[in-house]
Amino acid sequence: MLTVLPFSQANAIEPVKISRDDTAVDLTKTTEIDLNQGEAFQVSTAAGNDGIRRRIEVRASSPNHQGDWAVFALANVSDEQLERVIVAPHYRLVNSKVFWPDLGSQRIISITPSEGFSLDRLPSDDADVFRITLNPGAVVTFVAELASPKLPQLYLWEPDAYKDTINAFTLYRGIVLGIAGLLAVFLTILFVVRGTSMLPAAAALAWAVLAYICVDFGFLSKLINITASSEQIWRASDEVALASSFVIFLFAYLNLNRWHVHLGYATFAWIVGLALLFGVAIYDPSIAAGIARLSFALTATAGIVLIVYLGINRYDRAILLVPTWTLIILWLIAGWMTVTGRLSNDIIQPAHGGALVLIVLLIGFTVMQHAFSGSSFNQGLFSDLERQSLALTGAGETVWDWDVARDRVVTIPDVSPRLGLSSGALHGAVRTWLPNLHPDDRDRFRATLDVLLEHKRGRLNHEFRIRADDGHFHWLHIRARPVLGANGEIIRCIGTIEDCTEQKNTIDRLLQDAINDNLTGLPNRGVFLDRLQTLLTVASASDAVRPTVMIIDIDDYGRINDKHGISAGDNILIALTRRLRRLLKPQDTLARLYGDQFGLILTSERDPTRVADFADAISKAIMVPINFSNREIHLTASIGLVSWVDQQESALGLLADAELAMYRAKRGGGSKVEPFRPAFRESTSDKLQLETDLQRAIERGELTMVYQPIVQLTDGELAGFEALMRWEHPKRGTVSPLEFIPLAESCDLIMPLGMFALERAASDLVEWEKQSGTTPIFVSVNLSSAQLINNSLYSDIRALLGRVNCDPKRLKLELTESVVVENPEQARLVLTKLKETGISLALDDFGTGYSSLSYLRRFPFGKLKIDSSFIRDLGYEKADSSIILAIIGLAERMNMLVTAEGVETEEQAEILRSYGCPQAQGFLFYQPMSAGEFAKLVTTQNSSGQIAPAPQNTAF
């Protein structure tokens, strides 16, 4: 909890300046740590832009808080809002100390800024991560509630840079972890194969390193649930295990027991002492880890002495251990420099773990050399012929052997059973193969063998098809070379034969998919355009060809996939393809352009009437119900067509015109045929121009806001106003919101447009309050569906309220039922977060949409607005009166306000008063007005207590 106290100069800190280009800033040295300050902590903030320092008090939010606090300040010196994350790692090897080391824990419980809300914590297993937003020019002091008196590091990261750094380290850690795991398994297998004493010692060291890496890299927390306190126990236990395994390896590898029995006793006592540290690690992990780190240094020192002494005595194991022990010494020196703070970058800790794995890898090579030094593979067991035979058998190859002198072919193993033929059916003379060959391959196969026999050199590299017993053909590939006799004649041709049917079929499928759709078998878009361009070239030179292009798009095809499944949709497309093909003549082309969109080139008909009849026939064929799983599925299609008339028209241009016509048919409700007209291009061009103009209008401030007053029906007092946007186009004049709001949603301009409306309305409200005093009015702003599904809406509105200093309780957001229905879960989450800030929510046009009571129960609406369509005939239509009474009664029971829209007559206002409707808006009271006019109205009410009378004109 944050409390602002009277000013004091004590403990004031200077802010760290942050710009847009700062991706990572170390806040450790600029952060003040205050220990044992109790549950309430007071501190002076950094001086803001106005030079004022404030005294704030922060109270602890957790019962586990020990009274330790950290304070730092940030200043956004850029002209844009900055998103950053504050990261405090749980464990750092750097500066963790040798004795009583810091083994990690949760560092920060929460962070409270001097302005705004407490920072949101982001999920992370190995660090405390908080998201912050710094407005342009803002100077914010942050007070961190510490869970531990030690804060080894505090960094401010740009979110994407932090994510990239984490991903980079994750890849590195995964590689190191994989290598460590493979080493542990490999050395364990070696121990099983070769039972020498050094192998289990090396395997134990490898498993201890793997355990250390798992804890240090945070992998163990992915497997089991580890708390902050238990993580210290695991880390201390791993360091003890690592220290023990180093002692055991040194003893086993150097075989110290053979040199002196006292060395064995000393080693045994050392290991027993380290084993007792596992129990100490449970009660005091820091003591156990400190003793283990001291053991590392003693082991390294003892190893140097033993290696030097045994090396002088020409003990080969000691000599071969020199490179490994040198690396261990360097690793220990680097570790000492790290834990004492002499090496302090972020790379040293993962590099420390990687170097440890490298040490184990070098140890593995060393022990393997000794483990297998007495073994050698027997050489010369196989002859060259036997090696070649084994190589062919191992590769799964089939030998093809043709004894030319006897004209006998043999395959080993026999290929006949693979083709469904009887065993040995293809053994014998070459001519026995010819009847089974594909007719197109027989002459080529015979000619290839004849050329080989005639030239008496070269190689046989031939592919052919042979018929199997089931009638299908298999592709076989022969690779062979001739063997010459003493007389220079070919006596044998021997090589391999391979069934390459699968590879051939794969190539054929790839070639087929390159030009045809793999579902319907129709030509694809590329082939369609190629054929169309060819026809256009022919049409330019001959009057006999006049192609017509049709685009056929199935209406609501996505609904079929959602309701019946993708397999049903595919079967429907196949059925439609068969129907459409029946209507075509050989010279026509049908292609599948996209998922449910077909293209058709009609050349068999030239007369416009017959072309139109053909298009109607296609539409009717699609409308015929399709039976699927004992259900009838009814389809319609939107068809656009264009006939070639322009000599300069290209295939792409003609296809684009047909698509424009199809989209016009779809916008007209679908299930119709729409011929192309040049005006379609102009309408598309106008829309693009209007998009450009709207973008410029936002940039140049051509958009304005007008305000529709909302009054209390009981006494006529001004209750608030609804903000409405207007666009005065320099050339087109007034552009209706019904035209440019949907346009903004379709071209991704709705977010800047919506934020403009919110900021302008909130700013005007604040200005009116300054002019008129404390008039209790509110502002309502409409929210679109595109804004609601935007993930940044909540943070943008919070930043806006802080920027214009507007009370959230004075701001109401209006949504229609259709906006909520589009994405109800997303809407519920966003609206709930907005409600928590104090912003009110109103359901607009209630009664005209779904009118589902579940929306009123699930969503935090505080107000209902009755649509003007029910007010228009009020007093004449009993149904409208009943609906209005029901809405008002429902709102009263749910403790919600009601506002009636479109009130134009005194009679309507009187009826609404009698029904108990509290608020209304409409031309009866006032028309929409500019900000200046509304300021005068607010001032008038503040002085007289009544709203000014409405003028008689109604033109707006």
Side-chain angles (χ1 to χ4, degrees):
M1 183 178 70
L2 177 66
T3 303
V4 179
L5 299 174
F7 168 77
S8 174
Q9 193 66 24
N11 297 330
I13 61 173
E14 294 300 323
V16 178
K17 297 180 180 180
I18 308 298
S19 66
R20 179 181 58 186
D21 298 327
D22 294 330
T23 58
V25 179
D26 189 356
L27 304 177
T28 309
K29 295 182 180 180
T30 59
T31 301
E32 296 182 2
I33 306 296
D34 295 275
L35 305 178
N36 303 320
Q37 298 297 315
E39 295 184 356
F41 176 63
Q42 296 183 8
V43 67
S44 294
T45 66
N49 294 328
D50 51 5
I52 298 175
R53 299 180 184 268
R54 295 173 175 83
R55 189 74 171 174
I56 61 174
E57 178 179 286
V58 181
R59 294 188 177 274
S61 61
S62 172
N64 298 325
H65 181 59
Q66 302 298 319
D68 303 322
W69 303 85
V71 184
F72 59 95
L74 302 176
N76 182 1
V77 298
S78 67
D79 57 354
E80 63 183 37
Q81 188 181 71
L82 298 180
E83 296 285 343
R84 293 292 186 268
V85 292
I86 297 175
V87 181
H90 291 170
Y91 173 72
R92 287 197 81 211
L93 183 64
V94 175
N95 208 22
S96 61
K97 300 181 181 179
V98 176
F99 299 102
W100 290 278
D102 180 8
L103 298 179
S105 65
Q106 182 185 6
R107 303 298 179 178
I108 299 176
I109 300 174
S110 65
I111 299 180
T112 303
S114 59
E115 58 183 48
F117 300 93
S118 295
L119 303 188
D120 295 331
R121 178 185 289 270
L122 300 180
S124 177
D125 293 332
D126 54 2
D128 297 320
V129 185
F130 297 86
R131 180 190 290 117
I132 68 170
T133 301
L134 296 176
N135 293 324
V139 179
V140 183
T141 301
F142 298 86
V143 180
E145 180 182 353
L146 300 182
S148 166
K150 298 177 181 179
L151 187 62
Q153 187 185 63
L154 190 67
Y155 251 79
L156 182 70
W157 284 90
E158 194 274 331
D160 291 335
Y162 178 67
K163 185 184 299 182
D164 293 341
T165 303
I166 292 299
N167 292 338
F169 277 115
T170 300
L171 177 60
Y172 167 78
R173 289 169 176 172
I175 295 173
V176 172
L177 190 63
I179 295 174
L182 289 175
L183 282 173
V185 173
F186 178 72
L187 291 175
T188 304
I189 294 174
L190 285 181
F191 160 61
V192 175
V193 175
R194 303 280 296 183
T196 59
S197 60
M198 69 178 70
L199 285 175
L205 177 60
W207 284 107
V209 169
L210 178 61
Y212 179 84
I213 293 296
C214 286
V215 175
D216 193 52
F217 287 177
F219 181 74
L220 187 63
S221 62
K222 309 293 183 183
L223 302 178
I224 60 177
N225 185 21
I226 297 179
T227 63
S229 58
S230 63
E231 182 179 1
Q232 297 181 11
I233 297 174
W234 280 100
R235 195 177 299 278
S237 300
D238 286 336
E239 293 193 11
V240 172
L242 196 58
S244 304
S245 61
F246 263 116
V247 175
I248 295 172
F249 170 75
L250 183 65
F251 177 85
Y253 181 82
L254 296 178
N255 199 8
L256 297 180
N257 197 45
R258 63 175 284 191
W259 296 97
H260 201 288
V261 67
H262 294 301
L263 289 176
Y265 295 149
T267 304
F268 178 77
W270 195 341
I271 295 173
V272 170
L274 290 174
L276 294 175
L277 286 181
F278 286 102
V280 177
I282 299 176
Y283 296 98
D284 196 335
S286 294
I287 292 179
I291 296 176
R293 293 182 180 185
L294 179 61
S295 176
F296 281 128
L298 294 176
T299 305
T301 304
I304 293 174
V305 174
L306 291 171
I307 290 172
V308 171
Y309 173 78
L310 297 177
I312 294 174
N313 288 276
R314 300 181 181 275
Y315 187 46
D316 59 341
R317 289 194 183 186
I319 296 172
L320 289 175
L321 195 60
V322 169
T324 302
W325 212 255
T326 302
L327 186 59
I328 291 175
I329 297 299
L330 294 176
W331 177 78
L332 287 172
I333 293 173
W336 171 76
M337 296 178 67
T338 301
V339 299
T340 56
R342 290 170 173 79
L343 292 177
S344 59
N345 58 53
D346 293 331
I347 301 176
I348 187 65
Q349 183 169 337
H352 190 76
L356 192 58
V357 175
L358 182 61
I359 290 172
V360 175
L361 182 62
L362 190 56
I363 288 175
F365 289 147
T366 305
V367 298
M368 280 180 58
Q369 182 178 1
H370 281 281
F372 296 100
S373 60
S375 302
S376 61
F377 292 103
N378 293 324
Q379 304 293 328
L381 292 180
F382 306 108
S383 65
D384 289 342
L385 182 60
E386 287 172 324
R387 289 196 192 96
Q388 294 173 9
S389 176
L390 286 173
L392 288 174
T393 303
E397 298 282 357
T398 299
V399 177
W400 185 79
D401 184 7
W402 178 27
D403 188 344
V404 178
R406 294 188 298 166
D407 191 18
R408 177 174 174 80
V409 175
V410 176
T411 57
I412 305 173
D414 190 5
V415 299
S416 301
R418 303 183 195 174
L419 302 175
L421 305 175
S422 59
S423 181
L426 295 178
H427 289 177
V430 173
R431 63 176 179 271
T432 60
W433 286 61
L434 295 177
N436 296 310
L437 297 183
H438 193 280
D440 296 340
D441 296 338
R442 291 171 187 168
D443 293 339
R444 188 161 54 89
F445 180 76
R446 188 186 296 111
T448 300
L449 295 181
D450 291 342
V451 170
L452 184 68
L453 295 176
E454 181 180 352
H455 290 82
K456 303 175 184 178
R457 67 176 185 272
R459 293 177 180 273
L460 181 62
N461 192 347
H462 183 69
E463 291 181 349
F464 58 92
R465 287 164 289 182
I466 189 168
R467 186 176 59 249
D469 184 58
D470 57 3
H472 292 88
F473 284 93
H474 287 242
W475 279 94
L476 298 181
H477 188 186
I478 292 179
R479 298 183 186 90
R481 62 179 300 173
V483 179
L484 302 181
N487 57 358
E489 297 294 330
I490 296 178
I491 61 174
R492 209 175 197 89
C493 188
I494 190 168
T496 61
I497 184 168
E498 177 187 5
D499 188 338
C500 58
T501 306
E502 185 175 351
Q503 294 92 317
K504 280 288 186 180
N505 290 339
T506 300
I507 294 173
D508 291 342
R509 283 195 299 269
L510 291 174
L511 294 174
Q512 179 74 7
D513 293 343
I515 60 175
N516 289 336
D517 174 55
N518 56 10
L519 175 64
T520 61
L522 295 174
N524 58 22
R525 181 184 176 87
V527 176
F528 180 84
L529 288 172
D530 183 71
R531 292 185 183 178
L532 180 57
Q533 189 61 54
T534 302
L535 287 172
L536 295 184
T537 304
V538 174
S540 300
S542 173
D543 294 336
V545 178
R546 288 293 182 269
T548 296
V549 177
M550 297 185 185
I551 300 297
I552 306 165
D553 190 270
I554 309 302
D555 298 327
D556 292 332
Y557 178 74
R559 175 180 54 82
I560 297 173
N561 278 337
D562 295 339
K563 184 176 181 181
H564 301 285
I566 295 177
S567 60
D570 291 345
N571 288 329
I572 288 171
L573 290 179
I574 294 172
L576 291 178
T577 299
R578 293 171 181 168
R579 289 185 185 179
L580 297 179
R581 275 177 166 169
R582 296 191 191 103
L583 301 176
L584 303 181
K585 294 182 180 179
Q587 59 267 43
D588 301 327
T589 298
L590 179 66
R592 185 186 180 196
L593 305 182
Y594 297 112
D596 62 330
Q597 191 177 106
F598 295 88
L600 191 150
I601 306 175
L602 182 65
T603 57
S604 59
E605 302 292 349
R606 298 181 54 185
D607 182 69
T609 303
R610 296 179 66 85
V611 170
D613 292 341
F614 182 83
D616 290 336
I618 290 178
S619 181
K620 292 177 181 177
I622 294 175
M623 290 181 184
V624 176
I626 296 177
N627 290 320
F628 183 81
S629 299
N630 298 324
R631 289 175 292 182
E632 285 191 350
I633 299 176
H634 298 268
L635 300 173
T636 61
S638 299
I639 302 175
L641 63 86
V642 59
S643 296
W644 179 81
V645 292
D646 187 359
Q647 297 284 343
Q648 304 299 323
E649 189 70 77
S650 65
L652 280 173
L654 208 62
L655 180 63
D657 291 342
E659 287 177 340
L660 284 176
M662 182 272 294
Y663 287 127
R664 181 56 63 96
K666 193 169 285 290
R667 285 198 296 270
S671 186
K672 62 185 298 187
V673 179
E674 185 73 46
F676 171 76
R677 291 189 291 274
F680 294 169
R681 296 175 184 163
E682 297 177 2
S683 63
T684 303
S685 177
D686 291 344
K687 181 181 178 182
L688 294 175
Q689 183 61 45
L690 194 59
E691 288 180 7
T692 304
D693 292 345
L694 181 57
Q695 176 72 42
R696 292 176 180 173
I698 297 174
E699 297 172 355
R700 298 176 181 177
E702 296 176 1
L703 298 166
T704 58
M705 300 298 295
V706 295
Y707 302 100
Q708 174 78 54
I710 300 174
V711 301
Q712 300 285 358
L713 282 175
T714 54
D715 52 14
E717 287 189 3
L718 180 65
F721 59 91
E722 180 179 358
L724 306 171
M725 191 178 299
R726 294 292 183 263
W727 180 18
E728 291 296 328
H729 193 280
K731 296 181 179 179
R732 300 179 54 173
T734 302
V735 181
S736 171
L738 297 177
E739 183 176 0
F740 70 80
I741 294 297
L743 179 67
E745 291 179 343
S746 65
C747 62
D748 296 331
L749 292 176
I750 191 62
M751 282 305 294
L753 204 65
M755 293 310 297
F756 164 79
L758 282 167
E759 183 165 6
R760 179 61 61 84
S763 300
D764 287 344
L765 176 62
V766 173
E767 184 64 28
W768 295 333
E769 289 181 347
K770 292 180 181 178
Q771 296 177 10
S772 61
T774 56
T775 303
I777 58 175
F778 61 85
V779 56
S780 291
V781 183
N782 290 287
L783 203 64
S784 73
S785 58
Q787 291 175 271
L788 190 60
I789 64 175
N790 191 290
N791 293 328
S792 65
L793 176 65
Y794 171 71
S795 58
D796 289 344
I797 291 180
R798 282 189 57 184
L800 183 148
L801 293 174
R803 188 166 57 251
V804 302
N805 198 23
C806 178
D807 184 1
K809 297 180 180 179
R810 312 291 289 277
L811 181 63
K812 294 183 183 295
L813 299 179
E814 295 187 7
L815 303 90
T816 62
E817 290 177 273
S818 59
V819 170
V820 175
V821 170
E822 288 185 14
N823 197 332
E825 270 311 306
Q826 173 76 4
R828 185 182 63 81
L829 293 174
V830 174
L831 294 179
T832 301
K833 293 180 69 176
L834 290 174
K835 181 71 173 179
E836 291 173 355
T837 65
I839 295 175
S840 301
L841 303 173
L843 187 59
D844 198 7
D845 299 340
F846 185 75
T848 61
Y850 296 87
S851 299
S852 174
L853 297 181
S854 62
Y855 296 136
L856 299 181
R857 179 174 56 84
R858 292 172 56 193
F859 297 99
F861 291 113
K863 185 176 184 179
L864 297 179
K865 299 194 73 173
I866 304 175
D867 189 68
S868 59
S869 60
F870 298 112
I871 308 299
R872 190 178 303 114
D873 297 325
L874 188 62
Y876 303 100
E877 291 288 341
K878 293 183 179 180
D880 289 345
S881 298
S882 300
I883 293 174
I884 292 174
L885 281 171
I887 294 174
I888 294 174
L890 176 65
E892 288 178 352
R893 287 175 175 81
M894 299 189 70
N895 197 23
M896 301 171 70
L897 286 175
V898 178
T899 299
E901 297 181 296
V903 180
E904 299 182 355
T905 66
E906 187 61 44
E907 181 183 1
Q908 294 171 348
E910 187 59 38
I911 294 175
L912 289 171
R913 288 192 193 96
S914 65
Y915 287 171
C917 181
Q919 295 178 354
Q921 65 184 89
F923 290 162
L924 173 65
F925 308 105
Y926 227 98
Q927 299 175 8
M929 59 188 68
S930 66
E933 293 171 335
F934 200 90
K936 295 178 182 179
L937 178 64
V938 173
T939 304
T940 302
Q941 160 150 331
N942 197 40
S943 59
S944 65
Q946 293 293 326
I947 190 168
Q952 298 303 315
N953 62 317
T954 58
F956 198 95

